[in-house]
Short mmCIF file of all heavy atoms in Angstrom, two decimals:
data_model
loop_
_atom_site.label_atom_id
_atom_site.label_comp_id
_atom_site.label_asym_id
_atom_site.label_seq_id
_atom_site.Cartn_x
_atom_site.Cartn_y
_atom_site.Cartn_z
N MET C 1 123.33 112.86 127.44
CA MET C 1 123.10 111.86 126.39
C MET C 1 124.40 111.60 125.62
O MET C 1 125.05 112.53 125.18
CB MET C 1 122.06 112.36 125.40
CG MET C 1 120.64 112.28 125.96
SD MET C 1 119.46 112.55 124.65
CE MET C 1 117.94 112.55 125.58
N SER C 2 124.72 110.34 125.50
CA SER C 2 125.94 110.02 124.76
C SER C 2 125.61 109.57 123.35
O SER C 2 126.46 109.47 122.49
CB SER C 2 126.70 108.90 125.48
OG SER C 2 125.85 107.78 125.63
N GLU C 3 124.34 109.31 123.14
CA GLU C 3 123.96 108.82 121.81
C GLU C 3 123.69 109.98 120.87
O GLU C 3 122.95 110.90 121.19
CB GLU C 3 122.70 107.96 121.93
CG GLU C 3 122.50 107.08 120.71
CD GLU C 3 121.32 106.14 120.90
OE1 GLU C 3 120.97 105.82 122.05
OE2 GLU C 3 120.73 105.75 119.90
N THR C 4 124.35 109.90 119.75
CA THR C 4 124.16 110.97 118.77
C THR C 4 123.02 110.61 117.83
O THR C 4 123.10 109.64 117.09
CB THR C 4 125.44 111.19 117.94
OG1 THR C 4 126.53 111.36 118.84
CG2 THR C 4 125.30 112.43 117.08
N THR C 5 121.98 111.39 117.91
CA THR C 5 120.85 111.11 117.04
C THR C 5 120.69 112.24 116.03
O THR C 5 120.44 113.38 116.39
CB THR C 5 119.55 110.97 117.84
OG1 THR C 5 119.42 112.11 118.67
CG2 THR C 5 119.57 109.72 118.67
N ARG C 6 120.88 111.88 114.83
CA ARG C 6 120.65 112.88 113.78
C ARG C 6 119.94 112.21 112.62
O ARG C 6 120.18 111.04 112.33
CB ARG C 6 121.97 113.48 113.31
CG ARG C 6 122.92 112.46 112.73
CD ARG C 6 124.15 113.14 112.18
NE ARG C 6 125.06 112.17 111.56
CZ ARG C 6 126.20 112.48 111.01
NH1 ARG C 6 126.58 113.74 110.99
NH2 ARG C 6 126.97 111.58 110.46
N PRO C 7 119.06 112.90 112.00
CA PRO C 7 118.28 112.32 110.89
C PRO C 7 119.15 111.99 109.69
O PRO C 7 119.98 112.79 109.29
CB PRO C 7 117.27 113.42 110.54
CG PRO C 7 117.89 114.68 111.07
CD PRO C 7 118.73 114.28 112.25
N THR C 8 118.95 110.78 109.20
CA THR C 8 119.67 110.41 107.99
C THR C 8 119.04 111.13 106.80
O THR C 8 117.85 110.97 106.55
CB THR C 8 119.59 108.90 107.75
OG1 THR C 8 119.93 108.24 108.97
CG2 THR C 8 120.55 108.46 106.68
N PRO C 9 119.82 111.89 106.14
CA PRO C 9 119.27 112.72 105.07
C PRO C 9 118.63 111.92 103.94
O PRO C 9 117.48 112.14 103.60
CB PRO C 9 120.48 113.50 104.54
CG PRO C 9 121.68 112.81 105.10
CD PRO C 9 121.25 112.04 106.31
N LYS C 10 119.39 110.98 103.40
CA LYS C 10 118.83 110.23 102.28
C LYS C 10 119.23 108.78 102.36
O LYS C 10 120.39 108.44 102.43
CB LYS C 10 119.30 110.82 100.95
CG LYS C 10 118.78 112.21 100.74
CD LYS C 10 118.47 112.45 99.27
CE LYS C 10 117.66 113.70 99.09
NZ LYS C 10 117.63 114.16 97.72
N ARG C 11 118.22 107.94 102.37
CA ARG C 11 118.48 106.50 102.36
C ARG C 11 117.87 105.92 101.11
O ARG C 11 116.81 106.37 100.66
CB ARG C 11 117.83 105.85 103.59
CG ARG C 11 118.36 106.46 104.87
CD ARG C 11 117.71 105.86 106.07
NE ARG C 11 118.07 104.44 106.21
CZ ARG C 11 117.66 103.69 107.22
NH1 ARG C 11 116.86 104.20 108.12
NH2 ARG C 11 118.01 102.44 107.31
N PRO C 12 118.54 104.91 100.57
CA PRO C 12 118.01 104.29 99.36
C PRO C 12 116.70 103.57 99.61
O PRO C 12 116.49 103.03 100.70
CB PRO C 12 119.10 103.31 98.94
CG PRO C 12 119.91 103.06 100.18
CD PRO C 12 119.81 104.32 100.99
N CYS C 13 115.85 103.59 98.64
CA CYS C 13 114.58 102.90 98.74
C CYS C 13 114.82 101.41 98.94
O CYS C 13 115.59 100.81 98.20
CB CYS C 13 113.77 103.13 97.45
SG CYS C 13 112.28 102.13 97.34
N PRO C 14 114.21 100.81 99.95
CA PRO C 14 114.43 99.39 100.25
C PRO C 14 113.89 98.47 99.16
O PRO C 14 114.21 97.29 99.14
CB PRO C 14 113.68 99.17 101.57
CG PRO C 14 112.72 100.29 101.68
CD PRO C 14 113.30 101.44 100.93
N ILE C 15 113.06 99.00 98.31
CA ILE C 15 112.47 98.17 97.26
C ILE C 15 113.30 98.21 95.99
O ILE C 15 113.72 97.19 95.48
CB ILE C 15 111.04 98.64 96.95
CG1 ILE C 15 110.18 98.55 98.20
CG2 ILE C 15 110.44 97.79 95.82
CD1 ILE C 15 110.04 97.15 98.78
N CYS C 16 113.56 99.38 95.48
CA CYS C 16 114.26 99.48 94.20
C CYS C 16 115.66 100.04 94.34
O CYS C 16 116.38 100.17 93.36
CB CYS C 16 113.44 100.31 93.22
SG CYS C 16 113.34 102.05 93.68
N LYS C 17 116.06 100.38 95.58
CA LYS C 17 117.41 100.81 95.89
C LYS C 17 117.78 102.15 95.25
O LYS C 17 118.95 102.51 95.19
CB LYS C 17 118.45 99.76 95.44
CG LYS C 17 118.12 98.37 95.92
CD LYS C 17 118.17 98.27 97.43
CE LYS C 17 117.93 96.82 97.85
NZ LYS C 17 117.63 96.69 99.28
N SER C 18 116.81 102.85 94.77
CA SER C 18 117.11 104.16 94.21
C SER C 18 116.91 105.22 95.27
O SER C 18 116.23 105.02 96.27
CB SER C 18 116.21 104.43 93.00
OG SER C 18 114.89 104.66 93.44
N THR C 19 117.52 106.36 95.07
CA THR C 19 117.43 107.42 96.05
C THR C 19 116.12 108.18 95.91
O THR C 19 115.81 108.69 94.85
CB THR C 19 118.58 108.42 95.86
OG1 THR C 19 119.81 107.71 95.88
CG2 THR C 19 118.59 109.45 96.96
N PRO C 20 115.35 108.20 96.98
CA PRO C 20 114.06 108.91 96.95
C PRO C 20 114.24 110.39 96.66
O PRO C 20 115.13 111.03 97.20
CB PRO C 20 113.51 108.69 98.36
CG PRO C 20 114.26 107.54 98.93
CD PRO C 20 115.60 107.55 98.27
N GLN C 21 113.41 110.91 95.82
CA GLN C 21 113.46 112.32 95.50
C GLN C 21 112.62 113.14 96.47
O GLN C 21 112.74 114.35 96.55
CB GLN C 21 112.95 112.55 94.07
CG GLN C 21 113.76 111.79 93.03
CD GLN C 21 115.20 112.24 93.01
OE1 GLN C 21 115.50 113.43 92.96
NE2 GLN C 21 116.14 111.30 93.07
N THR C 22 111.79 112.44 97.20
CA THR C 22 110.94 113.12 98.16
C THR C 22 110.75 112.26 99.39
O THR C 22 110.83 111.04 99.32
CB THR C 22 109.56 113.43 97.54
OG1 THR C 22 108.70 113.90 98.57
CG2 THR C 22 108.96 112.21 96.91
N GLY C 23 110.54 112.88 100.52
CA GLY C 23 110.34 112.12 101.74
C GLY C 23 108.89 111.79 101.99
O GLY C 23 108.53 111.29 103.05
N GLU C 24 108.09 112.07 101.00
CA GLU C 24 106.65 111.90 101.17
C GLU C 24 106.28 110.45 101.43
O GLU C 24 105.37 110.14 102.18
CB GLU C 24 105.94 112.40 99.92
CG GLU C 24 104.43 112.48 100.08
CD GLU C 24 103.77 113.02 98.84
OE1 GLU C 24 104.48 113.52 97.96
OE2 GLU C 24 102.54 112.92 98.74
N PHE C 25 107.04 109.55 100.80
CA PHE C 25 106.71 108.13 100.92
C PHE C 25 107.79 107.39 101.70
O PHE C 25 107.93 106.19 101.59
CB PHE C 25 106.52 107.51 99.54
CG PHE C 25 105.51 108.22 98.70
CD1 PHE C 25 105.92 109.06 97.66
CD2 PHE C 25 104.16 108.08 98.95
CE1 PHE C 25 104.99 109.73 96.89
CE2 PHE C 25 103.23 108.75 98.18
CZ PHE C 25 103.64 109.57 97.15
N ALA C 26 108.59 108.13 102.44
CA ALA C 26 109.70 107.54 103.18
C ALA C 26 109.26 106.32 103.98
O ALA C 26 108.18 106.33 104.56
CB ALA C 26 110.28 108.58 104.12
N PRO C 27 110.09 105.27 104.04
CA PRO C 27 111.44 105.26 103.46
C PRO C 27 111.47 104.86 102.00
O PRO C 27 112.53 104.58 101.47
CB PRO C 27 112.14 104.20 104.33
CG PRO C 27 111.06 103.21 104.64
CD PRO C 27 109.78 104.04 104.75
N PHE C 28 110.32 104.83 101.38
CA PHE C 28 110.28 104.42 99.98
C PHE C 28 110.37 105.63 99.07
O PHE C 28 110.18 106.77 99.51
CB PHE C 28 108.99 103.64 99.69
CG PHE C 28 108.77 102.53 100.67
CD1 PHE C 28 107.84 102.67 101.68
CD2 PHE C 28 109.51 101.36 100.60
CE1 PHE C 28 107.65 101.65 102.62
CE2 PHE C 28 109.33 100.34 101.53
CZ PHE C 28 108.39 100.49 102.53
N CYS C 29 110.65 105.39 97.80
CA CYS C 29 110.86 106.50 96.88
C CYS C 29 109.54 106.95 96.28
O CYS C 29 109.40 108.07 95.82
CB CYS C 29 111.83 106.08 95.77
SG CYS C 29 111.18 104.84 94.65
N SER C 30 108.56 106.07 96.29
CA SER C 30 107.28 106.42 95.66
C SER C 30 106.16 105.58 96.25
O SER C 30 106.41 104.61 96.96
CB SER C 30 107.36 106.17 94.15
OG SER C 30 107.57 104.80 93.90
N SER C 31 104.95 105.96 95.93
CA SER C 31 103.80 105.20 96.43
C SER C 31 103.81 103.80 95.85
O SER C 31 103.31 102.85 96.44
CB SER C 31 102.50 105.92 96.04
OG SER C 31 102.41 106.04 94.65
N ARG C 32 104.38 103.67 94.68
CA ARG C 32 104.42 102.37 94.03
C ARG C 32 105.27 101.36 94.82
O ARG C 32 104.88 100.23 95.04
CB ARG C 32 104.99 102.54 92.62
CG ARG C 32 104.83 101.29 91.80
CD ARG C 32 105.39 101.51 90.42
NE ARG C 32 105.90 100.25 89.89
CZ ARG C 32 106.21 100.05 88.65
NH1 ARG C 32 106.10 101.03 87.78
NH2 ARG C 32 106.63 98.91 88.24
N CYS C 33 106.44 101.85 95.24
CA CYS C 33 107.31 100.98 96.03
C CYS C 33 106.70 100.71 97.40
O CYS C 33 106.85 99.63 97.96
CB CYS C 33 108.69 101.61 96.16
SG CYS C 33 109.69 101.42 94.67
N ARG C 34 106.03 101.69 97.92
CA ARG C 34 105.38 101.51 99.21
C ARG C 34 104.31 100.42 99.11
O ARG C 34 104.19 99.55 99.97
CB ARG C 34 104.76 102.83 99.67
CG ARG C 34 104.26 102.78 101.10
CD ARG C 34 103.62 104.07 101.49
NE ARG C 34 102.53 104.42 100.58
CZ ARG C 34 101.86 105.54 100.61
NH1 ARG C 34 102.19 106.47 101.49
NH2 ARG C 34 100.89 105.78 99.78
N ASP C 35 103.54 100.48 98.04
CA ASP C 35 102.50 99.47 97.84
C ASP C 35 103.12 98.10 97.63
O ASP C 35 102.60 97.08 98.06
CB ASP C 35 101.64 99.83 96.63
CG ASP C 35 100.75 101.03 96.93
OD1 ASP C 35 100.66 101.40 98.11
OD2 ASP C 35 100.18 101.58 95.99
N LYS C 36 104.26 98.10 96.96
CA LYS C 36 104.92 96.84 96.68
C LYS C 36 105.35 96.18 97.99
O LYS C 36 105.22 94.97 98.17
CB LYS C 36 106.15 97.10 95.80
CG LYS C 36 106.54 95.90 94.99
CD LYS C 36 107.32 96.35 93.77
CE LYS C 36 107.57 95.16 92.87
NZ LYS C 36 107.87 95.52 91.49
N ASP C 37 105.86 96.99 98.88
CA ASP C 37 106.27 96.47 100.18
C ASP C 37 105.06 95.97 100.96
O ASP C 37 105.12 94.93 101.61
CB ASP C 37 106.99 97.57 100.96
CG ASP C 37 107.56 97.04 102.26
OD1 ASP C 37 108.53 96.27 102.19
OD2 ASP C 37 107.03 97.37 103.33
N LEU C 38 103.99 96.71 100.86
CA LEU C 38 102.75 96.31 101.54
C LEU C 38 102.28 94.96 101.02
O LEU C 38 101.93 94.07 101.78
CB LEU C 38 101.67 97.36 101.29
CG LEU C 38 101.44 98.35 102.43
CD1 LEU C 38 100.38 99.36 102.03
CD2 LEU C 38 101.01 97.63 103.69
N ASN C 39 102.29 94.81 99.71
CA ASN C 39 101.84 93.56 99.11
C ASN C 39 102.72 92.41 99.54
O ASN C 39 102.26 91.28 99.72
CB ASN C 39 101.87 93.68 97.58
CG ASN C 39 100.69 94.47 97.07
OD1 ASN C 39 99.62 94.48 97.68
ND2 ASN C 39 100.85 95.14 95.94
N ARG C 40 104.00 92.70 99.71
CA ARG C 40 104.92 91.66 100.13
C ARG C 40 104.56 91.17 101.52
O ARG C 40 104.60 89.99 101.81
CB ARG C 40 106.36 92.19 100.10
CG ARG C 40 107.36 91.11 99.79
CD ARG C 40 108.66 91.69 99.30
NE ARG C 40 109.25 92.57 100.31
CZ ARG C 40 110.45 93.10 100.19
NH1 ARG C 40 111.15 92.86 99.10
NH2 ARG C 40 110.94 93.88 101.10
N TRP C 41 104.21 92.12 102.36
CA TRP C 41 103.80 91.75 103.71
C TRP C 41 102.52 90.91 103.67
O TRP C 41 102.40 89.92 104.37
CB TRP C 41 103.56 93.01 104.55
CG TRP C 41 104.80 93.48 105.22
CD1 TRP C 41 105.66 94.45 104.78
CD2 TRP C 41 105.36 92.99 106.45
NE1 TRP C 41 106.69 94.58 105.67
CE2 TRP C 41 106.53 93.72 106.70
CE3 TRP C 41 104.95 92.01 107.35
CZ2 TRP C 41 107.32 93.49 107.82
CZ3 TRP C 41 105.74 91.79 108.47
CH2 TRP C 41 106.91 92.52 108.70
N PHE C 42 101.61 91.33 102.86
CA PHE C 42 100.35 90.60 102.76
C PHE C 42 100.59 89.19 102.26
O PHE C 42 100.04 88.23 102.76
CB PHE C 42 99.39 91.33 101.82
CG PHE C 42 98.64 92.42 102.52
CD1 PHE C 42 98.79 93.75 102.13
CD2 PHE C 42 97.79 92.13 103.58
CE1 PHE C 42 98.10 94.76 102.78
CE2 PHE C 42 97.11 93.14 104.24
CZ PHE C 42 97.26 94.45 103.84
N ASN C 43 101.43 89.08 101.25
CA ASN C 43 101.70 87.76 100.69
C ASN C 43 102.45 86.88 101.67
O ASN C 43 102.30 85.66 101.67
CB ASN C 43 102.53 87.91 99.40
CG ASN C 43 101.70 88.50 98.28
OD1 ASN C 43 100.49 88.32 98.24
ND2 ASN C 43 102.35 89.21 97.37
N ASP C 44 103.25 87.50 102.49
CA ASP C 44 104.13 86.73 103.35
C ASP C 44 103.40 86.20 104.58
O ASP C 44 103.47 85.03 104.90
CB ASP C 44 105.30 87.62 103.79
CG ASP C 44 106.43 86.77 104.32
OD1 ASP C 44 106.66 85.69 103.75
OD2 ASP C 44 107.07 87.18 105.30
N GLY C 45 102.72 87.08 105.27
CA GLY C 45 102.20 86.65 106.55
C GLY C 45 100.72 86.89 106.77
O GLY C 45 100.14 86.31 107.67
N TYR C 46 100.15 87.72 105.94
CA TYR C 46 98.78 88.10 106.22
C TYR C 46 97.77 87.36 105.35
O TYR C 46 96.59 87.53 105.50
CB TYR C 46 98.60 89.60 106.03
CG TYR C 46 99.21 90.37 107.17
CD1 TYR C 46 100.50 90.86 107.09
CD2 TYR C 46 98.48 90.59 108.34
CE1 TYR C 46 101.08 91.56 108.13
CE2 TYR C 46 99.05 91.28 109.39
CZ TYR C 46 100.35 91.76 109.28
OH TYR C 46 100.90 92.44 110.33
N ALA C 47 98.28 86.57 104.43
CA ALA C 47 97.37 85.82 103.57
C ALA C 47 96.91 84.56 104.29
O ALA C 47 97.22 83.44 103.92
CB ALA C 47 98.07 85.46 102.25
N LEU C 48 96.18 84.76 105.35
CA LEU C 48 95.72 83.63 106.13
C LEU C 48 94.42 83.09 105.57
O LEU C 48 93.58 83.86 105.08
CB LEU C 48 95.51 84.06 107.58
CG LEU C 48 96.75 84.61 108.27
CD1 LEU C 48 96.38 85.15 109.64
CD2 LEU C 48 97.82 83.53 108.40
N PRO C 49 94.25 81.78 105.63
CA PRO C 49 93.00 81.17 105.16
C PRO C 49 91.81 81.69 105.97
O PRO C 49 91.89 81.82 107.18
CB PRO C 49 93.21 79.68 105.37
CG PRO C 49 94.39 79.54 106.26
CD PRO C 49 95.19 80.80 106.11
N GLY C 50 90.75 81.98 105.25
CA GLY C 50 89.58 82.49 105.94
C GLY C 50 89.52 84.00 105.88
O GLY C 50 88.47 84.60 106.10
N ARG C 51 90.66 84.61 105.56
CA ARG C 51 90.67 86.05 105.47
C ARG C 51 90.24 86.47 104.06
O ARG C 51 90.66 85.88 103.07
CB ARG C 51 92.06 86.59 105.76
CG ARG C 51 92.04 88.09 106.01
CD ARG C 51 93.42 88.58 106.41
NE ARG C 51 93.41 90.03 106.58
CZ ARG C 51 93.35 90.63 107.76
NH1 ARG C 51 93.33 89.91 108.85
NH2 ARG C 51 93.36 91.94 107.85
N ALA C 52 89.43 87.49 103.99
CA ALA C 52 88.92 87.92 102.69
C ALA C 52 89.96 88.73 101.95
O ALA C 52 89.95 89.95 101.98
CB ALA C 52 87.65 88.72 102.88
N ALA C 53 90.88 88.03 101.33
CA ALA C 53 91.89 88.72 100.54
C ALA C 53 91.44 88.82 99.10
O ALA C 53 90.76 87.93 98.58
CB ALA C 53 93.21 87.97 100.62
N ASP C 54 91.81 89.90 98.47
CA ASP C 54 91.43 90.09 97.09
C ASP C 54 92.55 89.60 96.18
O ASP C 54 93.57 90.26 96.05
CB ASP C 54 91.15 91.58 96.85
CG ASP C 54 90.53 91.80 95.48
OD1 ASP C 54 90.49 90.85 94.68
OD2 ASP C 54 90.09 92.91 95.21
N PRO C 55 92.36 88.46 95.55
CA PRO C 55 93.42 87.87 94.72
C PRO C 55 93.77 88.74 93.52
O PRO C 55 94.89 88.75 93.06
CB PRO C 55 92.84 86.53 94.27
CG PRO C 55 91.37 86.63 94.50
CD PRO C 55 91.16 87.64 95.57
N GLU C 56 92.79 89.45 93.04
CA GLU C 56 93.04 90.30 91.87
C GLU C 56 93.99 91.43 92.22
O GLU C 56 94.85 91.80 91.45
CB GLU C 56 91.72 90.87 91.36
CG GLU C 56 91.00 89.89 90.46
CD GLU C 56 89.81 90.53 89.77
OE1 GLU C 56 89.79 91.77 89.68
OE2 GLU C 56 88.93 89.80 89.35
N GLU C 57 93.81 91.95 93.40
CA GLU C 57 94.66 93.06 93.83
C GLU C 57 96.11 92.61 93.98
O GLU C 57 97.02 93.32 93.61
CB GLU C 57 94.14 93.61 95.16
CG GLU C 57 94.82 94.90 95.54
CD GLU C 57 93.77 95.93 95.92
OE1 GLU C 57 92.60 95.74 95.57
OE2 GLU C 57 94.13 96.92 96.55
N ILE C 58 96.29 91.41 94.50
CA ILE C 58 97.64 90.90 94.67
C ILE C 58 98.25 90.55 93.33
O ILE C 58 99.41 90.79 93.07
CB ILE C 58 97.60 89.65 95.58
CG1 ILE C 58 97.06 90.04 96.97
CG2 ILE C 58 99.00 89.02 95.70
CD1 ILE C 58 96.83 88.86 97.87
N ALA C 59 97.43 89.98 92.44
CA ALA C 59 97.94 89.56 91.15
C ALA C 59 98.31 90.75 90.28
O ALA C 59 99.06 90.62 89.32
CB ALA C 59 96.90 88.72 90.44
N ARG C 60 97.80 91.91 90.67
CA ARG C 60 98.08 93.08 89.85
C ARG C 60 99.50 93.62 90.07
O ARG C 60 99.94 94.50 89.38
CB ARG C 60 97.05 94.17 90.17
CG ARG C 60 96.34 94.64 88.92
CD ARG C 60 95.62 95.93 89.18
NE ARG C 60 94.73 95.82 90.34
CZ ARG C 60 94.09 96.86 90.84
NH1 ARG C 60 94.24 98.03 90.30
NH2 ARG C 60 93.32 96.73 91.88
N GLU C 61 100.16 93.06 91.05
CA GLU C 61 101.52 93.52 91.33
C GLU C 61 102.43 93.15 90.16
O GLU C 61 102.60 92.00 89.84
CB GLU C 61 102.03 92.88 92.61
CG GLU C 61 103.45 93.32 92.91
CD GLU C 61 104.01 92.55 94.08
OE1 GLU C 61 103.41 91.54 94.47
OE2 GLU C 61 105.07 92.95 94.57
N GLU C 62 102.97 94.18 89.56
CA GLU C 62 103.83 93.92 88.41
C GLU C 62 105.29 93.82 88.83
O GLU C 62 105.70 94.41 89.80
CB GLU C 62 103.66 95.05 87.38
CG GLU C 62 103.66 96.41 88.01
CD GLU C 62 103.31 97.45 86.98
OE1 GLU C 62 103.46 97.16 85.80
OE2 GLU C 62 102.90 98.55 87.36
N ASP C 63 106.00 93.08 88.08
CA ASP C 63 107.39 92.89 88.45
C ASP C 63 108.29 93.84 87.69
O ASP C 63 108.40 93.81 86.54
CB ASP C 63 107.83 91.45 88.15
CG ASP C 63 108.60 90.89 89.34
OD1 ASP C 63 109.25 91.70 90.03
OD2 ASP C 63 108.54 89.70 89.54
ZN1 LIG M 101 111.63 102.61 95.12
#
């Protein structure tokens, strides 16, 4: 094998760019950022007409 594969120890959270204190929610720093990313996906591509999306849940996303 010529490819060197080693685990990256710490990567910044893709949402808030802060360094995660735990790998529990990797690659995010917390469940909050993880949910935020999830909501972004839902808003972006999964909010299809006819799908039973909960508007309240999406609107609860704080900035
Ligand atoms: Zn974060």
Side-chain angles (χ1 to χ4, degrees):
M1 285 192 185
S2 56
E3 198 175 335
T4 308
T5 52
R6 60 176 183 180
T8 311
K10 295 216 167 165
R11 301 179 66 177
C13 172
I15 301 299
C16 68
K17 310 296 184 194
S18 72
T19 306
Q21 301 297 311
T22 171
E24 190 178 348
F25 305 104
F28 309 103
C29 67
S30 63
S31 59
R32 190 179 150 166
C33 283
R34 189 182 56 186
D35 288 349
K36 205 156 187 159
D37 186 71
L38 260 178
N39 282 331
R40 211 161 60 173
W41 272 96
F42 276 118
N43 289 331
D44 198 38
Y46 285 94
L48 300 174
R51 194 175 177 101
D54 189 350
E56 277 189 22
E57 190 131 343
I58 298 173
R60 235 195 306 173
E61 179 187 13
E62 45 187 340
D63 226 329

